[in-house]
Amino acid sequence: AQTVTQSQPEMSVQEAETVTLSCTYDTSESDYYLFWYKQPPSRQMILVIRQEAYKQQNATENRFSVNFQKAAKSFSLKISDSQLGDAAMYFCAYRSADYGGSQGNLIFGKGTKLSVKP
Amino acid sequence: KAGVTQTPRYLIKTRGQQVTLSCSPISGHRSVSWYQQTPGQGLQFLFEYFSETQRNKGNFPGRFSGRQFSNSRSEMNVSTLELGDSALYLCASSLRQGATFTGELFFGEGSRLTVL
C-alpha cells in the first residue's frame, strides 16, 4: 500500500522569504501523480501544483515549485516570496495512474500548517 | 464552470441517527470520491464511484455507504451515527482518463457533521 509522509507538522516563514515543505512517499508503482494541495482556514482544498511521475522536469507554478526525486521518493514544495495569503494547511498527496485500479483514491499526508509572519 | 457542490454545509445529529450527504461534481466528471477529515486521523479515503459503480473503498465500517446516480451526482450515507463520526466530509470529482486528464481531484467545501 502506498503511504505519504509529511514530517513537519508546522512551519513558519517570514513574509517575502522562501520556505520548503517536505514530503516523502512509498509506492511500488512506476506511474503516478503527486500533488500539493492547500487548505486555507475557509477549508476548501485547492490544488497548488502537480507532478507526473514520468516527467523528470520539476513542476513550477509561479512562486511554487517542487523538487521531485523519484528514486528517493521525495516531493518537496518550495514557496518563494511568501505572502500572507499562503498561510494554510498544505497536504502532499499521491494518486495512482492505474485507470483500472485505485486511481480514484488520493492518499494524503498528515499535512503541514504554514504560518506567514508579516 | 461550476465547482463541486456539497450539501448540506453544516449539520448536527445525535448518536444513533443516520445522515445523508450530497455531492454534485463538476460537469463532465464521472468520478466522485469521498474523504473524511478529522484532526486526529487527517484525511482518509472513504470510497470512489465511477459510472454509478463503486470502484474503490477505504477502511471504514459498513455503516458508511454511498451511491452515484446516472447524472454523476453522489450521496453518502452514515447510519447509526457515533460520536467519532464527527468530521468534515469532503467530496472530490475528477476525470479518470481522456485528453484533458491531469490527475487532479477537485474538492467541494465539505459538509461539517457534528454528532452529539
Side-chain angles (χ1 to χ4, degrees), chain A residues 33 35 37 39 42-45 47 50 52 91 95 98-106 108-110, chain B residues 9-10 33 35 37 40-41 43 45 48 50 56 88 94-97 101-105 107 109-110:
Chain A
Y33 301 87
F35 307 93
Y37 278 91
Q39 189 178 40
S42 63
R43 70 178 201 214
Q44 183 160 25
M45 196 88 70
L47 180 70
R50 65 181 178 86
E52 291 98 330
F91 293 96
R95 184 182 189 185
D98 178 13
Y99 173 77
S102 59
Q103 193 195 67
N105 178 2
L106 202 60
F108 288 92
K110 292 290 188 183
Chain B
R9 291 287 307 278
Y10 302 90
S33 51
Y35 297 82
Q37 185 175 22
Q41 298 299 316
L43 284 148
F45 172 73
E48 183 217 359
F50 179 70
N56 293 287
L88 180 65
S94 74
L95 298 168
R96 257 181 166 251
Q97 64 177 41
F101 179 69
T102 60
E104 178 184 357
L105 267 66
F107 287 84
E109 294 189 68

Side-chain angles (χ1 to χ4, degrees), chain A residues 22-96:
Chain A
S22 301
C23 173
T24 59
Y25 60 96
D26 190 28
T27 183
S28 58
E29 298 179 324
S30 59
D31 197 11
Y32 49 86
Y33 301 87
L34 294 167
F35 307 93
W36 279 97
Y37 278 91
K38 170 185 176 180
Q39 189 178 40
S42 63
R43 70 178 201 214
Q44 183 160 25
M45 196 88 70
I46 56 175
L47 180 70
V48 174
I49 198 166
R50 65 181 178 86
Q51 174 81 42
E52 291 98 330
Y54 66 87
K55 291 186 177 179
Q56 293 188 344
Q57 186 173 4
N58 290 325
T60 299
E61 287 288 342
N62 300 313
R63 298 183 294 107
F64 299 88
S65 62
V66 298
N67 184 1
F68 173 49
Q69 302 290 327
K70 190 173 184 179
K73 296 179 181 175
S74 171
F75 183 62
S76 61
L77 174 69
K78 185 171 81 171
I79 306 173
S80 303
D81 185 25
S82 296
Q83 300 175 0
L84 296 177
D86 295 334
M89 282 291 290
Y90 285 82
F91 293 96
C92 179
Y94 171 102
R95 184 182 189 185
S96 171

